[in-house]
Amino acid sequence: MAIVTTIGGSTTNSYITVAEYSAYADNFGWNIGADTNNHEDQLRRATAYINRVYNFVGDAQYQTQSMAWPRLTTQLIDGWPINPDTVPQDIKDAQAELAFLVHGGTDLMATVTGGSTRRTKSKAGIVETETEYASFRETPRFVAVEGLLSPYVVFGGSQIKVMRG
């Protein structure tokens, strides 16, 4: 299945092309190889993660678009409006970052079932195993991606972004 990057298209499945992903990787000195089929898979997984996990500002630009972007919003990024007929470069860069994580073996859609392991105990005689979990769940964080996407994400609850003038 080929990568489709038509902005606002009903069959779009990636924000960036394989060539854009390769150029991004080269810029950071990453070796991603030359297997286009693997690159396309990595890009599709990264796109699915972005579209499923993040709640972006504004509304979808087109009723039939298959992706979260482009958006209609009054949100300003560094004092500038977001063009409703484009996908911001930060979104594209976040996809490349996530695709590289997939390339390295990270499962972006991993299921979290319990807290982090605090202590494990084993006993040799009359086999015994004990595992103690912390009281919280560990969820993966992709800090580079969070940094790129944070200006475009709606934060839940009563949190608001505070700016000093």
Side-chain angles (χ1 to χ4, degrees):
M1 181 173 171
I3 289 292
V4 179
T5 59
T6 305
I7 294 176
S10 62
T11 60
T12 301
N13 59 6
S14 180
Y15 293 114
I16 61 174
T17 64
V18 170
E20 289 173 302
Y21 175 40
S22 295
Y24 190 89
D26 288 345
N27 188 44
F28 282 94
W30 302 339
N31 181 7
I32 61 170
D35 188 338
T36 300
N37 289 332
N38 279 342
H39 296 165
E40 289 177 352
D41 290 342
Q42 294 158 11
L43 289 171
R44 279 192 292 276
R45 289 177 191 270
T47 304
Y49 183 83
I50 289 171
N51 290 330
R52 290 177 188 171
V53 172
Y54 294 97
N55 182 20
F56 294 106
V57 297
D59 300 304
Q61 164 73 330
Y62 302 103
Q63 183 179 4
T64 58
Q65 73 186 50
S66 62
M67 309 269 279
W69 286 89
R71 311 287 291 174
L72 294 170
T73 180
T74 58
Q75 178 81 22
L76 299 178
I77 305 299
D78 294 329
W80 295 93
I82 299 170
N83 185 333
D85 286 317
T86 62
V87 175
Q89 189 62 47
D90 288 337
I91 306 299
K92 294 178 177 186
D93 292 349
Q95 182 186 2
E97 292 278 345
L98 288 165
F100 184 67
L101 290 170
V102 171
H103 170 78
T106 300
D107 181 2
L108 301 177
M109 304 292 186
T111 302
V112 179
T113 57
S116 63
T117 304
R118 179 181 294 173
R119 179 175 60 90
T120 302
K121 177 182 175 182
S122 296
K123 188 175 180 182
I126 307 176
V127 179
E128 180 181 314
T129 302
E130 181 180 314
T131 304
E132 181 180 334
Y133 295 98
S135 61
F136 59 89
R137 295 187 332 172
E138 264 187 20
T139 55
R141 288 193 60 206
F142 308 115
V143 179
V145 173
E146 290 174 7
L148 288 165
L149 297 181
S150 66
Y152 306 93
V153 173
V154 174
F155 294 100
S158 60
Q159 297 179 350
I160 61 171
K161 186 174 182 179
V162 177
M163 296 175 57
R164 293 184 183 187

